[in-house]
Amino acid sequence: MSKFKKEGSKELPAISTASLPDIVFMLLFFFMVATVMRDSSLKIKNNLPSAAETEKLGQKNLIMFIYAGKPSDQYKSMGEEPKIQLNDKFAELKEIAAFVAAERASKREAEIPQLIAALKVDKETNMGLISDIEQQLRKVGQLKINYTTKKGSGLK
């Protein structure tokens, strides 16, 4: 005779799912906060030049990006010469004025003087195109211009 008797099969208690909605909403909130939405997809090669002294700009909503460089491999049909990209499309020099006007129209009146045109230019792009972009920006009164670089030694 054994001292211990086996009772009938005991069922495991049910798992409580009361905290499951809390966990789901906590994960949802985390991913909503941590996810970065892409503004535009690049259609050009954009190997930025290096600079030793760099600083980050303040409010990202006050920056309008102008990209310049040779078309990327999937857009080789556009040619080999450097192109300008505004938002998600290739553009001509004369379209820069309309781009700046649209960006200004989307901002509050107090923010318009603080708008910065950030040029993200491939380091292989010739200076003539950059100068033409600057001239177009001057014509529309956009005098705050920033050249975006990557951190590193400027002498390389």
Side-chain angles (χ1 to χ4, degrees), residues 42-45 69-86 88-92 95:
L42 286 180
K43 296 181 178 183
I44 61 167
K45 293 180 183 175
K70 291 183 180 180
S72 62
D73 293 335
Q74 59 191 17
Y75 295 100
K76 286 290 186 188
S77 63
M78 297 295 292
E80 284 292 320
E81 69 273 355
K83 301 277 184 194
I84 299 170
Q85 180 182 339
L86 305 173
D88 276 338
K89 65 182 187 104
F90 288 114
E92 299 293 325
E95 297 177 45

Side-chain angles (χ1 to χ4, degrees), residues 1-153:
M1 290 213 163
S2 68
K3 290 184 175 181
F4 302 105
K5 289 185 179 178
K6 290 185 179 179
E7 293 184 18
S9 63
K10 288 187 178 179
E11 294 184 22
L12 293 175
I15 297 174
S16 173
T17 59
S19 64
L20 190 60
D22 294 336
I23 294 169
V24 169
F25 284 117
M26 182 177 62
L27 286 172
L28 178 67
F29 182 73
F30 171 76
F31 286 116
M32 285 174 50
V33 171
T35 303
V36 177
M37 301 302 279
R38 185 184 306 184
D39 289 334
S40 60
S41 58
L42 286 180
K43 296 181 178 183
I44 61 167
K45 293 180 183 175
N46 199 351
N47 188 10
L48 298 175
S50 300
E53 295 295 322
T54 61
E55 67 180 67
K56 290 195 177 230
L57 293 176
Q59 297 174 316
K60 293 205 179 229
N61 64 334
L62 296 177
I63 302 171
M64 56 183 138
F65 293 102
I66 299 174
Y67 302 94
K70 291 183 180 180
S72 62
D73 293 335
Q74 59 191 17
Y75 295 100
K76 286 290 186 188
S77 63
M78 297 295 292
E80 284 292 320
E81 69 273 355
K83 301 277 184 194
I84 299 170
Q85 180 182 339
L86 305 173
N87 290 335
D88 276 338
K89 65 182 187 104
F90 288 114
E92 299 293 325
L93 278 171
K94 59 186 175 197
E95 297 177 45
I96 292 176
F99 171 71
V100 172
E103 287 289 323
R104 287 179 178 169
S106 68
K107 305 294 182 210
R108 293 182 307 182
E109 193 169 335
E111 294 176 333
I112 292 173
Q114 300 170 353
L115 274 176
I116 299 171
L119 298 178
K120 287 191 169 187
V121 181
D122 185 61
K123 65 181 177 181
E124 300 296 323
T125 305
N126 57 7
M127 194 59 196
L129 179 63
I130 298 168
S131 178
D132 291 343
I133 294 171
E134 290 173 347
Q135 292 297 327
Q136 291 296 317
L137 290 171
R138 284 188 195 122
K139 284 181 184 176
V140 294
Q142 181 60 45
L143 302 178
K144 288 187 177 184
I145 300 174
N146 172 29
Y147 295 96
T148 304
T149 63
K150 63 183 176 186
K151 195 166 188 152
S153 175

